[in-house]
Amino acid sequence: MDKFLIQGGRTLNGEVRISGAKNAALPLLAATILADSPIQITNVPNLKDVNTLVQLIAGLGVTISYKGDTVSADTSTLDNQFAPYELVKTMRASILVLGPLLARYGEAKVSLPGGCAIGSRPVDQHLKALEALGATISVENGYVHAHIDGRLKGGEVVFDMVTVGGTENILMAAALADGVTVIRNAAREPEITDLAQMLIKMGAKIEGLDTDTLTVTGVESLHGCEYAVVADRIETGSYLAAAAMTGGRVKTTHTDPTLLEAVLEKFEEMGAEVTRGDDWIELDMQGKRPKAVSFRTLPHPDFPTDMQAQIMAVNAIGRGFATISETIFENRFMHVPELSRMGANIQVEGNDAVVTGVEQLSAAPVMATDLRASFSLVLAALAAQGETLVDRIYHIDRGYENVEAKLQGLGAIIKRVSE
Ligand code: EPZ
């Protein structure tokens, strides 16, 4: 199992190129199932999760290739609507093929995604929304069986809570439904807007982008197109956090500051100097120790849950203390005991964590538990005195492309060791 060996205590400076967003690439890949002619997606990040979904789509019979940063798909050879447990269990966003398969072929048999470390992550809202469009859905032996005779029917969908995946599944299904669908309490994450923009390029009729109400007028078919994945706002925030953590100056390029304004404001509250360009962001910590900042994770455009672990790591060496409330997932503090092993002072009460900054963290063997927690441990190791061994870094490979090369480019001493 791969580990990272990280020499702490160095200031990170330099420029890092941001990749396409994992959480946009996955729904965009699922949406290729809707196209009745060849479709190309560029700026696709080379990640484990992306390769798993490409494999799953190939398993449907789709002619799909992934060369460089480009995925090309031709669904004319699709010959089944079955997404097996073996693949879905390793990448829960595979549930996003359910809506497209049902909408285009009237049939889908998709394994229920397991939970994961950060929570049970049910998909009840996805199923309820598809039933609102007329689908017959049953869950047997761990699989979702969905069926509709003819086309789905446009209707009204109201989500009980903001769900990114639920919004994406129903948006893709509604695009081919017969009639108008209104999606209320829709998620407003930039990755949803990215998906909607590609669907519109494929011929879909969608209004209300960036709002919590999406109106979709279904069409009979959707054609292929060429589309570039939006920049990864979480990867951007993660590398800017590396500068905040080590007192350095990092410029992230091929990104977009409007995607993560709530995070940039927190960096400024820490005392960092943040400069915004059209497609770049620079964070200069000017050698200072960051001020600890309080926040609550909330749906976009508020502070994203996917940045919670990373900013907690910065708070761990911050001045003063701060309260972090995790309102999205029920178990997203698993990085806390690992950070504590490195000397962090963090008290957890339910979904709230009080972090009292310490002057210095110390190296210790730690273990990654989930994707964003693994980056927070890397951040802590970069600031800690001594050499830290981070275990189970297969988690980080799911969401951060070329992570050690990008960190080495900023001056980090980080090595991947396999034991
Ligand atoms: C997406 O997950 C992201 N993943 C997650 O990123 C992100 O943390 C999350 O949205 C929230 O922003 C991808 O886009 C591939 P949700 P998703 O449906 O769609 C509950 C990362 O680190 N819920 O918005 O699964 C759910 O349990 C990952 O890149 C239901 O109860 O998240 C959670 O508590 C981690 N029933 C909350 O809603 C449902 O049917 C938000 O989940 C659906 C969701």
Side-chain angles (χ1 to χ4, degrees):
M1 195 174 298
D2 282 4
K3 298 178 170 61
F4 275 156
L5 207 49
I6 298 169
Q7 183 63 47
R10 294 172 62 84
T11 302
L12 265 58
N13 292 300
E15 199 165 293
V16 58
R17 178 182 175 132
I18 297 302
S19 304
K22 163 178 85 81
N23 291 349
L26 296 173
L28 293 173
L29 287 173
T32 61
I33 293 167
L34 296 166
D36 66 4
S37 56
I39 185 166
Q40 274 209 331
I41 302 176
T42 60
N43 199 31
V44 178
N46 181 16
L47 301 168
K48 192 165 173 300
D49 277 5
V50 167
N51 284 293
T52 301
L53 189 54
V54 168
Q55 199 185 338
L56 187 147
I57 293 171
L60 301 172
V62 175
T63 306
I64 186 166
S65 67
Y66 182 13
K67 292 192 185 70
D69 78 345
T70 302
V71 170
S72 306
D74 174 354
T75 60
S76 60
T77 53
L78 187 143
D79 59 14
N80 75 86
Q81 293 82 31
F82 174 59
Y85 174 65
E86 292 63 43
L87 284 174
V88 176
K89 74 178 176 189
T90 65
M91 215 282 294
R92 49 185 328 285
S94 309
I95 192 71
L96 292 174
V97 304
L98 177 62
L101 285 171
L102 180 63
R104 185 146 182 239
Y105 302 96
E107 194 73 48
K109 182 181 172 189
V110 179
S111 167
L112 273 176
C116 76
I118 64 177
S120 62
R121 314 237 354 226
V123 291
D124 56 297
Q125 298 291 311
H126 299 233
L127 306 185
K128 189 178 132 191
L130 292 170
E131 285 173 332
L133 301 193
T136 305
I137 294 204
S138 64
V139 177
E140 291 150 40
N141 310 106
Y143 280 83
V144 175
H145 298 255
H147 176 79
I148 180 89
D149 289 327
R151 291 170 70 186
L152 291 168
K153 301 284 175 289
E156 169 116 341
V157 170
V158 184
F159 283 118
D160 298 335
M161 87 283 295
V162 173
T163 159
V164 170
T167 303
E168 290 164 346
N169 238 331
I170 200 66
L171 181 59
M172 291 186 281
L176 284 180
D178 179 8
V180 177
T181 297
V182 178
I183 306 169
R184 299 195 192 287
N185 201 17
R188 300 166 54 189
E189 271 64 9
E191 293 76 29
I192 299 214
T193 303
D194 208 38
L195 172 63
Q197 285 171 338
M198 186 177 88
L199 291 170
I200 289 167
K201 217 174 164 183
M202 294 164 71
K205 294 185 174 52
I206 304 169
E207 292 167 291
L209 268 56
D210 290 322
T211 76
D212 64 1
T213 304
L214 295 170
T215 303
V216 187
T217 304
V219 293
E220 298 224 339
S221 68
L222 292 168
H223 52 74
C225 68
E226 179 166 330
Y227 193 81
V229 179
V230 70
D232 193 322
R233 60 194 166 101
I234 305 302
E235 187 194 22
T236 302
S238 301
Y239 285 106
L240 294 176
M245 194 81 189
T246 60
R249 186 170 77 177
V250 167
K251 181 176 183 180
T252 54
T253 64
H254 298 79
T255 186
D256 173 354
T258 65
L259 300 173
L260 65 156
E261 199 46 51
V263 177
L264 299 184
E265 282 165 19
K266 283 298 162 187
F267 283 133
E268 286 169 329
E269 194 184 319
M270 285 177 186
E273 191 180 282
V274 177
T275 314
R276 297 159 175 77
D278 287 342
D279 63 352
W280 57 268
I281 306 162
E282 180 171 273
L283 186 148
D284 188 353
M285 201 63 219
Q286 298 159 330
K288 293 181 305 199
R289 184 179 168 196
K291 178 181 165 301
V293 291
S294 295
F295 59 90
R296 297 167 61 83
T297 65
L298 287 166
H300 193 78
D302 291 318
F303 191 93
T305 174
D306 291 351
M307 279 299 300
Q308 179 256 105
Q310 297 92 310
I311 303 303
M312 183 185 284
V314 182
N315 277 350
I317 50 109
R319 283 180 288 111
F321 71 94
T323 305
I324 295 173
S325 298
E326 172 55 60
T327 76
I328 305 291
F329 289 108
E330 66 265 33
N331 185 34
R332 203 170 198 177
F333 282 151
M334 283 171 307
H335 38 287
V336 169
E338 299 304 306
L339 290 171
S340 304
R341 287 172 47 72
M342 299 177 74
N345 177 351
I346 307 169
Q347 304 304 323
V348 172
E349 288 287 326
N351 284 334
D352 297 332
V354 178
V355 186
T356 304
V358 296
E359 286 267 333
Q360 179 75 53
L361 293 173
S362 54
V366 289
M367 183 177 78
T369 49
D370 60 87
L371 168 56
R372 304 302 171 185
S374 48
F375 204 95
S376 83
L377 297 180
V378 168
L379 289 171
L382 290 170
Q385 204 56 37
E387 193 170 67
T388 297
L389 192 65
V390 183
D391 198 355
R392 300 194 178 179
I393 48 124
Y394 59 84
H395 287 292
I396 209 167
D397 292 333
R398 292 188 42 217
Y400 288 92
E401 187 177 40
N402 298 333
V403 60
E404 65 259 46
K406 289 191 179 186
L407 286 170
Q408 286 160 354
L410 296 175
I413 298 181
I414 175 172
K415 212 166 60 167
R416 183 182 291 254
V417 293
S418 307
E419 281 172 2

